[in-house]
Amino acid sequence: MEIRHLTTIDDVSNEEILMMFDAADVMSQHKGKIKSKGRESLLDICAGYNMASLFFEPSTRTRLSFESAMHRLGGDVSSVTEAGSASVAKGETIADTAKIIGSYADVIVVRHPWEGAPKVIADYAGVPVINAGDGAHQHPTQTLTDLYTLRKEKGRIEGLTVALCGDLKYGRTVHSLAYALARFKANIVLISAQNLDMPDYIIKDLGFRYGCHQEEIVDVGQALKKINSHSQNAVRTSTIWVLSGLWGDFFKDLDEIPDIDAFYLTRVQKERFADIGITIEYPTFDGKLLEKIKADAIIMHPLPRVDELAYEIDGDPRSAYFRQAAYGVPVRMALISFLLSVGPFSDFKRTFQKPQFPRYKNRDNIRCGNPKCISMQESESQQITPEFEIVPSDSGSLLRCVYCEREIECQLLHA
Ligand code: NCD
């Protein structure tokens, strides 16, 4: 049987996501019923399976929610929690590490600072691989949790208006979430902090792939008019409003309640900045701001929070972030079962094919220009050849790196 992975949110179809959510609903009811050996039978569906949990970057929620998900399914877990404790520290390549771990484990969960590292592991491991966050690229299991939260809290995803706020440049959660929201026909308001805009290649891609209508908005008043009249007209195509650099001013300039169903806040991803010197205006979402949103809007955050969410709003029913973190366990239980084809997915016929584009592979002259991409790492270059998809674009076609998915700023090594 074909091995499936979750290296980007494109690896699963909307139908598969919704099936996983139905399974997560059932699995969440069994939470807590497993006690040592006298466990409930439904949740022994992963007994005999081992999950390798490789975290080469810090994590609390994601790692623990994966590990508790596997334990609740009756499976075992082997962990690496620091790059320094694995053989990569001795110079082993990611591809070799993948081959070895793939021979010990039935499923691999990996978080890595290099973008595209989970794809390389998926190429070499021979078992399903799950991306638990790769650099600033994507965080598809957080996205599944975010979509599940929207469905649980708002009853649907399609037609909702979701504002992604703050650091949209380096926040990997918002990258994969933007793709998923567009696919599920939700409207998206991109309210970035100054210098931290959503990368252009993602915005263009959303328009191109999902036909989202896009509007660049320069002030908050104009944004409000557009967003509020859009929902009154009940337009059903997905729209993206881009409010570049306006996160610092958004609430200051707000003079009516915006028709936004969910505010998805993010922290500044300082650890991913080269230019740490810049000052970023970043509001703290507190009780006063809460008064400026709809009575049934929700506040989401992948957590950890730093200063962008005041503790005083934790008790408000609209603050959904701790519930969101808790949903991560049943969602990951469903995902693991799906990839291992066990329990509710044991008879599931997989018909979904990820869209394929022609490939361009040339060891000698073109490399992806992203210094964080795994294909740019000298240590990996014996085993990884730069490779690109030739994808259609407004201006004809362009090359997209198969590892980090950036459109390439071509770096010609030889004339
Ligand atoms: C996020 C991450 O690691 O990208 N956290 C998480 O997985 N819940 C967000 C963050 O670190 O800001």
Side-chain angles (χ1 to χ4, degrees), residues 57-62 111 132-133 135 138-139 142 170-173 264 266-269 271-272 301-305 308 332:
E57 263 192 352
S59 169
T60 311
R61 262 153 303 275
T62 308
R111 167 169 289 189
Q138 286 212 4
H139 193 343
Q142 180 65 47
Y170 296 105
R172 56 194 169 198
T173 65
Y264 188 99
T266 56
R267 76 181 166 90
V268 181
Q269 306 278 307
E271 71 277 25
R272 303 197 195 286
H301 193 304
L303 302 177
R305 63 173 143 187
E308 64 283 346
R332 289 177 172 108

Side-chain angles (χ1 to χ4, degrees), residues 33-226:
K33 281 202 182 158
I34 302 181
K35 299 211 180 65
S36 69
K37 291 294 166 193
R39 45 179 82 154
E40 295 284 306
S41 60
L42 171 75
L43 297 173
D44 255 352
I45 56 181
C46 284
Y49 287 94
N50 186 274
M51 181 184 88
S53 153
L54 312 179
F55 280 76
F56 298 116
E57 263 192 352
S59 169
T60 311
R61 262 153 303 275
T62 308
R63 184 170 69 80
L64 290 184
S65 64
F66 262 114
E67 295 183 2
S68 23
M70 191 55 169
H71 287 307
R72 284 182 185 169
L73 293 167
D76 298 315
V77 178
S78 321
S79 304
V80 170
T81 50
E82 285 171 52
S85 65
S87 285
V88 280
K90 300 181 193 164
E92 184 171 67
T93 62
I94 295 282
D96 277 1
T97 304
K99 282 189 214 163
I100 307 297
I101 296 177
S103 69
Y104 302 156
D106 302 290
V107 56
I108 299 176
V109 178
V110 61
R111 167 169 289 189
H112 203 284
W114 291 340
E115 300 177 19
K119 173 174 163 36
V120 172
I121 298 181
D123 288 346
Y124 285 88
V127 297
V129 171
I130 302 172
N131 176 3
D134 57 336
H137 176 218
Q138 286 212 4
H139 193 343
T141 67
Q142 180 65 47
T143 294
L144 293 180
T145 306
D146 299 339
L147 295 177
Y148 186 73
T149 305
L150 287 169
R151 192 174 89 144
K152 272 277 197 216
E153 306 268 328
K154 303 296 303 172
R156 69 197 162 105
I157 304 167
E158 184 172 336
L160 290 178
T161 298
V162 181
L164 307 183
C165 314
D167 182 352
L168 307 188
K169 182 171 184 179
Y170 296 105
R172 56 194 169 198
T173 65
V174 283
H175 296 166
S176 31
L177 182 56
Y179 282 111
L181 290 171
R183 261 171 52 180
F184 274 96
K185 297 194 169 64
N187 302 304
I188 308 171
V189 193
L190 299 175
I191 319 176
S192 54
Q194 265 174 11
N195 300 312
L196 298 175
D197 295 341
M198 180 67 86
D200 245 16
Y201 77 94
I202 295 183
I203 299 182
K204 276 201 219 131
D205 215 20
L206 294 175
F208 198 82
R209 282 209 237 169
Y210 307 112
C212 309
H213 174 66
Q214 301 186 355
E215 285 188 63
E216 191 87 36
I217 305 260
V218 291
D219 73 76
V220 174
Q222 186 197 8
L224 281 182
K225 278 198 197 79
K226 298 244 178 193

